[in-house]
Amino acid sequence: MGTRRRTAPGTLVVLPVLVLGGCTLSPSEGSSLTVATDAATSALGTADLTVRLLSEGRVPATVADTALLDTTRMLGEADLAVATFVAGDEHDARLRDEVAAAVSDASDAVVHARSWAGAPTRDAAEGERVAVELDDAAEAVDRAAAAVEASGGAP
Amino acid sequence: MKRLLGVALGILTAIGGFLDIGDMVTNAVVGSRFGLSLAWVVLVGVVGICLFAHMSGKVAAVSGRATFEIIRERLGSRAAAANLMASFAVTLLTLTAEVGGIALALQLASSVEPRLWVPVAALAVWLVVWRARFSSLENVTGLLGLALVGFAVALHLLGPDWGELAEQAVGGVPAGEGPAAYWYYAIALFGAAMTPYEVFFFSSGGVEEGWSVKDLAQSRLNVLVGFPLGGVLSVAIAGCAAVVFLPQAVEVSALSQVVLPAAQAGGTLLLAVVLVGVVAATFGAALETCLSTGYTVAQFLGWSWGKWRRPVRAARFHLTMIVALLVAVGVLMTSVDPVAVTEYSVVFSAVALPLTYLPVLVVANDPEYMGEHVNGRLLNAFGLVYLVLVLLASLAAIPLMIATGAGS
């Protein structure tokens, strides 16, 4: 009986702490700039592979469209991470702006890629332009990631 | 000849039915981040599920009764009720993940928003559970699930550096990853391989199909050959992600990414084969989890249950499954990400696992139920080692989830 009395309040405290702890640390809500560059790298890598496979006729348009839609969700997570990042000083603010610009370019490139992939007739030259845009966006994200890493990792 | 065909069919359906959305997503996520450094967990998980399914199948065949009937009788109603609540919640979460997985797979084939597919998928699951014979639903989805062999073909066609993959497999925690995330995903993989619903389905299926002691050999063969080959497919999925995504620092977080390596390796044909496998595997697992929700509740409460009875003779059993499907649909219609549901479901499977594993181990050693078929020394030695593993995984899962932000 005594054991039950001691256990119940303990459980009432521990369980909410565990549940809330899990919620507050949800990966999609991380506010670090590293989270943003990692998500953008994943999105652009996936988009690049998808566009290449679609150009070569190795994936149907439905799969390419879904994969590119998923990359926009990843970029949404990157965008959220940048938007919720609190800059401690001017250096952090510059880093945030660089990452935000890179994520924005990445979003434009992926939206263009999805538009090309969903077109009734896909123009090969346009496909090459899409691939170049994705490469450029990936380079910008790499540069931003390197800057974040060089600063010792943003908070 | 007929018996040989029966054995072959059992093994093939065990291979095709081994993988579900949890296995596919978790293995691809792990492959893209850790390479094959966690392949050993798949081996540990496969041995564990073989042991677990063998014991529960033996209990069903010898006693003629399913897991939850015995859990209630052996542990008493209060302990069994706690067990039921945890097991049912995890099975419901897994059912939600599987229905979401069907919707995502159909989105890949149609480009139609998955929320439009969710009610269709749930309706199809209900119709099959309502109308199809038990053996048909098990065999058809299991055989079609064999199309996931496409991932093994894709890995071969990608022409990886096998030496590098072998180095990853024995290399421990990769550079750039922390030990907490490594162990969190180890538990997720373990939970994906040893989901409680598989045992409810396996033991209840034994009763549905009227297994007796003379069927023990075939049941053992299905488990000991089929499940390890299913485990090979799990490793192939991780291998594909490790070859295609790991070098690009691309982290898998969507089902569409899981199938891209198949397209890269074998074009649209191999992709189509793999998509058939993904739909069959998720649909088969949705059927199994849906039935498991009905089995657990009906067996605990002493209601009539079973596919061998007409629905009107097991109304509450069927009603439970309908309610479970409606809850799954309701959750998915909130726009929750089915992949996130899947990732949580495999971790919570590991948390709830001791609640099912321990009673099965206890009953498999009880001569009152098992007579001369109680576990031998070797089986018990393995059983105790796995009891420790299952407890460790269960205790560590939530702290690691918090410490790593669910593996991020």
Side-chain angles (χ1 to χ4, degrees):
Chain A
M1 203 59 179
T3 309
R4 194 178 299 167
R5 262 193 233 111
R6 282 194 301 276
T7 309
T11 310
L12 284 177
V13 172
V14 170
L15 272 180
V17 167
L18 289 177
V19 172
L20 291 173
C23 293
T24 53
L25 288 167
S26 168
S28 60
E29 289 173 7
S31 58
S32 142
L33 294 181
T34 315
V35 170
T37 52
D38 286 352
T41 302
S42 289
L44 287 168
T46 306
D48 183 57
L49 175 63
T50 306
V51 165
R52 190 159 48 79
L53 292 174
L54 187 62
S55 302
E56 294 166 3
R58 297 174 85 83
V59 283
T62 55
V63 173
D65 182 62
T66 306
L68 291 168
L69 189 62
D70 286 332
T71 63
T72 61
R73 185 179 45 77
M74 293 171 212
L75 287 166
E77 285 174 15
D79 208 29
L80 181 68
V82 179
T84 53
F85 175 76
V86 180
D89 53 29
E90 221 171 274
H91 174 69
D92 281 356
R94 270 201 305 276
L95 274 178
R96 181 196 56 202
D97 293 346
E98 187 177 351
V99 174
V103 170
S104 173
D105 287 351
S107 296
D108 290 346
V110 168
V111 167
H112 187 190
R114 190 159 180 251
S115 161
W116 169 76
T121 51
R122 276 183 297 279
D123 178 29
E126 185 69 5
E128 280 168 26
R129 275 195 293 279
V130 164
V132 169
E133 273 183 35
L134 287 170
D135 282 346
D136 291 346
E139 279 173 23
V141 170
D142 283 348
R143 279 196 301 275
V148 171
E149 201 176 335
S151 73
Chain B
M1 190 62 184
K2 195 178 171 189
R3 184 157 177 78
L4 197 64
L5 281 173
V7 170
L9 182 65
I11 291 171
L12 290 175
T13 51
I15 300 168
F18 180 81
L19 292 172
D20 65 2
I21 186 76
D23 292 295
M24 288 184 276
V25 168
T26 312
N27 277 285
V29 170
V30 164
S32 70
R33 277 185 64 174
F34 301 91
L36 286 188
S37 64
L38 282 165
W40 63 269
V41 181
V42 176
L43 180 65
V44 173
V46 166
V47 173
I49 193 66
C50 286
L51 186 70
F52 199 10
H54 170 62
M55 285 194 295
S56 61
K58 194 169 70 166
V59 168
V62 174
S63 70
R65 301 164 72 188
T67 306
F68 248 93
E69 287 178 333
I70 294 174
I71 286 177
R72 181 180 172 155
E73 190 173 282
R74 188 69 171 72
L75 301 184
S77 60
R78 190 174 291 179
N83 194 321
L84 173 73
M85 281 190 280
S87 301
F88 184 82
V90 169
T91 306
L92 188 57
L93 191 63
T94 313
L95 171 63
T96 307
E98 303 298 346
V99 173
I102 302 170
L104 289 179
L106 292 173
Q107 183 196 16
L108 285 171
S110 65
S111 200
V112 170
E113 153 80 23
R115 276 200 302 168
L116 292 175
W117 281 119
V118 165
V120 177
L123 182 67
V125 168
W126 172 73
L127 276 175
V128 172
V129 165
W130 185 267
R131 298 290 303 173
R133 285 184 14 223
F134 184 86
S135 56
S136 307
L137 68 87
E138 192 185 25
N139 293 339
V140 171
T141 55
L143 288 176
L144 285 174
L146 275 176
L148 291 173
V149 168
F151 279 111
V153 175
L155 181 59
H156 171 72
L157 292 176
L158 286 169
D161 180 343
W162 294 103
E164 193 188 327
L165 287 181
E167 268 176 36
Q168 286 175 7
V170 295
V173 185
E177 293 287 354
Y182 179 85
W183 286 106
Y184 173 76
Y185 278 106
I187 288 173
L189 273 180
F190 188 64
M194 286 188 76
T195 36
Y197 85 83
E198 287 171 341
V199 169
F200 303 141
F201 180 76
F202 197 74
S203 68
S204 304
V207 178
E208 293 259 23
E209 292 181 321
W211 286 356
S212 64
V213 174
K214 66 178 191 308
D215 297 308
L216 276 177
Q218 180 169 346
S219 156
R220 196 179 297 138
L221 206 59
N222 290 353
V223 166
L224 296 181
V225 179
F227 285 0
L229 289 174
V232 171
L233 298 186
S234 294
V235 176
I237 292 172
C240 284
V243 171
V244 173
F245 295 121
L246 183 64
Q248 311 297 324
V250 171
E251 193 180 326
V252 169
S253 60
L255 189 63
S256 59
Q257 292 171 294
V258 178
V259 300
L260 284 180
Q264 181 171 342
T268 47
L269 182 62
L270 190 57
L271 179 66
V273 170
V274 162
L275 280 180
V276 168
V278 172
V279 173
T282 48
F283 193 78
L287 295 175
E288 292 177 9
T289 45
C290 185
L291 282 164
S292 295
T293 59
Y295 287 145
T296 50
V297 174
Q299 287 165 12
F300 174 79
L301 293 170
W303 298 341
S304 301
W305 61 273
K307 287 279 300 150
W308 79 88
R309 291 189 169 98
R310 290 172 56 208
V312 72
R313 300 282 173 209
R316 287 176 292 189
F317 166 65
H318 278 275
L319 184 64
T320 306
M321 293 189 285
I322 291 169
V323 171
L325 270 174
L326 288 174
V327 170
V329 170
V331 170
L332 290 166
M333 293 306 272
T334 64
S335 290
V336 65
D337 179 9
V339 172
V341 176
T342 303
E343 288 177 345
Y344 283 107
S345 77
V346 293
V347 175
F348 281 107
S349 284
V351 173
L353 198 54
L355 295 171
T356 330
Y357 182 82
L358 184 60
V360 169
L361 185 62
V362 169
V363 173
N365 278 290
D366 190 336
E368 205 175 306
Y369 291 97
M370 301 300 292
E372 60 179 296
H373 297 285
V374 289
N375 281 355
R377 279 187 186 172
L378 183 65
L379 203 54
N380 269 338
F382 270 106
L384 287 173
V385 168
Y386 270 86
L387 179 62
V388 173
L389 287 178
V390 159
L391 284 171
L392 284 176
S394 173
L395 292 172
I398 290 181
L400 281 174
M401 179 184 271
I402 293 169
T404 62
S408 61

